[in-house]
């Protein structure tokens, strides 16, 4: 016995911690809590399936989705549960039923379950575990005289590590939501949108005639052979000339 077993309310504290750090639970051979233990009954799968579907139809807040038979004969029952504690959020719960015969030819049905809440936070306050516990508890009470414990199952099963173990592996290796990805997995690349470069606008100004003539007059005085004073005189003379030609009219004198 471990000394931590003497801590009062140890199980309740563990359940509260599990409810705050994980929002998906599933049954297993070695569960975190005994209430998530895999159930086995000495009954046909059809009878267990009818009981589960009947409870889903009768309970308030439970909505039946569908029932299918997968490859290998496994029955899959899916339902949607309305959670009051999560302010109306819905929990998806799945039940898997696997039927086999023991060494004496009697039927044994293995019941697994898993629940998932579609929330971004890490915990769901134990609502997914509560949903599983409700229906598994109802099965234990209804078929309490047909329960098969683990030791009896290992003794009576023809191949406990065969098809049943493969069926159980589906629930044991179910990836929990918000679980960290293994090291070395590629990271998602963020998509970056390129911004358009700003358009440069060049203002156009109408220059005067004197501005157009000015660059040609900026040549050095030594190249033209004139002094700066003479260049200014020539510029003023060119500006003083009239732009229109003058016409002279000549008439003959009459005698």
């Amino acid at each position: 016995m471990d000394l931590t077993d003497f801590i009062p309310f140890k199980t309740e504290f563990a359940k509260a911690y599990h409810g705050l750090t994980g929002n998906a639970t599933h049954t297993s051979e070695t569960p975190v809590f005994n209430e998530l233990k895999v159930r086995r009954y000495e009954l046909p799968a059809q009878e267990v399936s009818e009981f589960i579907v009947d409870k889903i139809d009768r309970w308030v807040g439970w909505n039946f989705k569908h029932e299918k038979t997968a490859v290998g004969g496994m029955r899959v029952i899916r339902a949607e549960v309305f959670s009051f504690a999560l302010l109306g959020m819905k929990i998806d719960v799945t039940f898997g039923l696997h039927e086999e015969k023991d060494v004496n030819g009697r039927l044994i049905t293995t019941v697994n379950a898993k629940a998932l809440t579609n929330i971004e936070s890490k915990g769901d306050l134990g609502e997914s575990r509560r949903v599983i516990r409700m229906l598994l508890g109802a099965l234990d009470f209804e078929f309490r005289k047909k329960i098969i414990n683990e030791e009896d199952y290992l003794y009576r099963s023809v191949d406990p590590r065969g098809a049943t173990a493969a069926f159980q592996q589906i629930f044991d290796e179910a990836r929990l939501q918000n679980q960290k990805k293994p090291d070395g997995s590629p990271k998602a690349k963020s998509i970056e949108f390129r911004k358009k470069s700003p358009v440069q606008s060049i203002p156009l100004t109408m220059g005067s005639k004197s501005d157009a003539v000015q660059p040609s007059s900026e040549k050095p005085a030594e190249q033209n052979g004139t002094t700066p004073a003479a260049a200014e005189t020539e510029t003023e003379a060119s500006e003083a000339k009239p732009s229109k030609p003058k016409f002279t009219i000549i008439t003959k004198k009459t005698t």
Side-chain angles (χ1 to χ4, degrees):
M1 181 180 292
D2 193 359
L3 294 177
T4 57
D5 294 336
F6 293 99
I7 300 176
F9 308 107
K10 174 187 175 182
T11 306
E12 284 70 15
F13 282 121
K15 290 181 180 181
Y17 175 77
H18 186 76
L20 294 174
T21 57
N23 59 356
T25 54
H26 60 89
T27 54
S28 175
E29 294 287 355
T30 57
V32 181
F33 307 107
N34 190 32
E35 59 196 28
L36 298 177
K37 185 74 175 178
V38 175
R39 265 59 166 188
R40 292 185 175 91
Y41 306 96
E42 191 178 348
L43 292 169
Q46 180 63 29
E47 186 175 350
V48 179
S49 175
E50 290 177 356
F51 178 81
I52 293 176
V53 174
D54 180 69
K55 287 296 182 182
I56 293 174
D57 292 336
R58 290 176 179 269
W59 286 347
V60 178
W62 289 62
N63 297 321
F64 176 76
K65 282 189 173 182
H66 58 76
E67 180 181 1
K68 294 182 179 180
T69 302
V71 179
M74 181 180 66
R75 293 174 178 265
V76 178
I77 303 172
R78 295 193 61 191
E80 194 176 55
V81 184
F82 182 86
S83 175
F84 294 96
L86 298 179
L87 302 178
M89 186 168 291
K90 296 180 180 180
I91 302 174
D92 294 327
V93 58
T94 305
F95 297 95
L97 281 66
H98 178 72
E99 184 183 81
E100 61 179 325
K101 291 183 178 181
D102 62 359
V103 292
N104 299 320
R106 290 178 291 185
L107 295 176
I108 298 177
T109 300
T110 303
V111 180
N112 269 283
K114 63 179 178 179
L116 177 65
T117 52
N118 299 321
I119 58 177
E120 298 295 335
S121 60
K122 293 184 178 180
D124 61 352
L125 305 179
E127 282 296 292
S128 55
R129 186 175 67 254
R130 181 186 64 83
V131 169
I132 297 175
R133 187 180 68 247
M134 286 179 62
L135 198 38
L136 294 182
L139 285 170
D140 291 342
F141 180 79
E142 181 70 18
F143 307 118
R144 53 189 176 275
K145 296 181 180 180
K146 300 293 184 178
I147 297 176
I148 301 175
N149 55 32
E150 186 177 359
E151 294 180 359
D152 293 341
Y153 175 72
L154 294 176
Y155 176 75
R156 295 172 54 179
S157 178
V158 177
D159 187 12
R161 303 301 178 187
T164 306
F167 164 67
Q168 178 61 41
Q169 189 177 6
I170 299 175
F171 289 86
D172 291 344
E173 295 182 355
R175 185 176 180 273
L176 304 182
Q177 190 174 359
N178 294 324
Q179 184 178 355
K180 292 183 178 179
K181 294 182 179 179
D183 297 336
S185 58
K187 297 182 179 179
K189 297 182 179 179
S190 58
I191 301 175
E192 296 182 357
F193 296 95
R194 295 182 177 180
K195 297 181 179 179
K196 294 183 179 181
S197 57
V199 180
Q200 295 181 356
S201 58
I202 302 175
L204 299 178
T205 56
M206 299 298 293
S208 58
K209 294 182 179 180
S210 60
D211 295 338
V213 181
Q214 185 176 359
S216 60
S217 62
E218 290 180 355
K219 294 181 180 180
E222 291 79 9
Q223 185 177 356
N224 297 333
T226 57
T227 59
E232 293 179 0
T233 306
E234 292 178 359
T235 304
E236 293 177 356
S238 62
E239 292 179 354
K241 291 180 179 180
S243 58
K244 296 181 180 180
K246 294 181 179 181
F247 296 94
T248 304
I249 300 175
I250 302 174
T251 57
K252 294 183 181 180
K253 292 182 179 181
T254 55
T255 55

